[in-house]
Amino acid sequence: MSLINSVLAIVAMILACVGFGLISMWILGAERFLQSALERLMSGFIVGIGLFGWLLFFPGILGLFTPTLFWGVMVVGVAAFLYRMSALKGIAALPSLSGIDLLLCAILAVAAGFDLLEAIAPAADADTLAYHFALPRDFVSEGQISFVPRAVSGAIPLLLHLTYAVALATGGELTLTLWTAATGWAPGLLLYALVRRELTRTWSLVLLAIFITTPAVLYGGGSGHTEIRCAGFALASIAFLLTSEREASYRVLALAGACAGFFIASKYYGLIFGGATGLAIIFFRDSSKRCLVFGAAALIAGSQWYLWNYFHTGDPVFPIITNLMQFP
């Protein structure tokens, strides 16, 4: 595909995800509790990534997995962005930076430059080539989500992989690698926005620089690996959970549960995160009702891939129960 088409596709994907996230936070009343435009932007982006992947599951199993559908969903998301872009007022304002701040920004710029070089190069690591990018390619070529009964690389939660399929189908390999680069930076920028509530800009930039240059983030952020994007879901879930407790808002708590559900729908380890978060909620006031709200939201957002596995194998977490019970 042409360079213009690839760039158009990645811009549309990013704006659509931000739009889905902003409109969701507005509907659930979370937007007014976020303290900065950057916090609203990055929270919206991460929530929108989860919603984007969640929505695509249903046309995928119905055999409607086509570029036309993908562009249609993105148009809706971009329209939502345009409708709620007023929430980002002031995002482009240039702050006054000290000498240390400028040095830290230079370090971040170097890291971003290397990430961009990685993004415009073809994928190289084995796992990405074997299944992280291969499965979405197969789904696009078949026009549907197909069940792949391989324990490690097939029958796993694939919410994030569906966004890979959109990037590949609408803009080609360049859009796909640019998408992984953009989503790889999302958790770090959300972390920066959250710590700015309590820390100075300098210390917040220090934490962002440490996070972005951590070897695990450097390795996984620009590849098809899902861990760094799951970190975004976990961070957003905890942020919304604490906000819901501070503001006594069950709607924001539902948003926290949804983010946990997106993690669950992206990787089996999300079940551990969701369970641990649920245990923490037990110690909140009115814990039974809060657990019900959080759990229901997580179930709605994260259960589809487990039902998909159960439908095909009888094991929602294939192959764990299959191996334990010695199913044929």
Side-chain angles (χ1 to χ4, degrees):
M1 296 188 182
S2 69
L3 176 60
I4 294 176
N5 188 80
S6 296
V7 173
L8 178 63
I10 186 63
V11 171
M13 286 188 70
I14 292 172
L15 293 181
C17 286
V18 174
F20 285 133
L22 288 177
I23 203 77
S24 300
M25 293 190 302
W26 176 62
I27 291 172
L28 292 174
E31 184 184 282
R32 68 180 184 273
F33 300 131
L34 304 183
Q35 298 181 7
S36 69
L38 180 61
E39 190 176 340
R40 289 189 288 273
L41 173 65
M42 299 317 304
S43 297
F45 185 38
I46 289 173
V47 171
I49 292 169
L51 279 171
F52 198 28
W54 184 85
L55 287 170
L56 292 169
F57 174 80
F58 303 100
I61 62 174
L62 295 175
L64 302 174
F65 221 58
T66 65
T68 301
L69 173 85
F70 299 154
W71 280 110
V73 174
M74 285 194 288
V75 166
V76 173
V78 172
F81 171 80
L82 294 174
Y83 180 70
R84 292 303 306 158
M85 67 183 301
S86 59
L88 306 179
K89 184 179 180 180
I91 191 70
L94 294 177
S96 58
L97 300 176
S98 67
I100 296 177
D101 292 345
L102 291 172
L103 175 61
L104 290 167
C105 288
I107 294 172
L108 291 168
V110 171
F114 278 108
D115 284 344
L116 181 60
L117 288 175
E118 180 186 14
I120 62 178
D125 74 279
D127 287 352
T128 295
L129 293 173
Y131 55 92
H132 286 306
F133 286 178
L135 282 174
R137 178 204 59 194
D138 293 343
F139 294 163
V140 170
S141 63
E142 295 171 11
Q144 63 181 1
I145 300 172
S146 56
F147 183 78
V148 183
R150 291 195 305 267
V152 175
S153 61
I156 52 179
L158 297 172
L159 180 144
L160 284 168
H161 292 74
L162 297 191
T163 68
Y164 297 170
V166 173
L168 188 62
T170 56
E173 185 178 0
L174 177 59
T175 299
L176 176 56
T177 51
L178 287 172
W179 174 246
T180 57
T183 53
W185 270 72
L189 292 173
L190 177 58
L191 174 65
Y192 171 83
L194 292 174
V195 298
R196 278 290 287 134
R197 295 179 177 183
E198 307 295 336
L199 301 179
T200 64
R201 178 176 291 106
T202 299
W203 281 111
S204 300
L205 287 171
V206 168
L207 287 177
L208 174 58
I210 292 172
F211 181 86
I212 289 297
T213 58
T214 299
V217 177
L218 289 173
Y219 174 74
S223 69
H225 293 263
T226 61
E227 285 79 4
I228 186 64
R229 281 152 278 277
C230 290
F233 293 143
L235 187 60
S237 179
I238 295 301
F240 287 129
L241 178 63
L242 295 176
T243 300
S244 72
E245 171 65 9
R246 184 180 68 247
E247 305 295 340
S249 172
Y250 286 101
R251 293 193 296 170
V252 178
L253 180 62
L255 194 57
C259 289
F262 297 147
F263 187 177
I264 291 169
S266 300
K267 199 170 183 68
Y268 281 146
Y269 291 142
L271 292 168
I272 300 174
F273 172 80
T277 309
L279 288 174
I281 295 174
I282 291 176
F283 296 97
F284 288 7
R285 62 180 183 273
D286 197 12
S287 60
S288 58
K289 186 175 181 179
R290 289 180 179 275
C291 285
L292 179 63
V293 171
F294 181 89
L299 184 67
I300 293 171
S303 63
Q304 69 269 34
W305 288 104
Y306 299 84
L307 294 173
W308 178 249
N309 285 350
Y310 179 79
F311 177 79
H312 287 92
T313 68
D315 181 355
V317 288
F318 179 84
I320 298 173
I321 298 177
T322 300
N323 288 338
L324 289 176
M325 303 300 294
Q326 293 298 298
F327 288 169

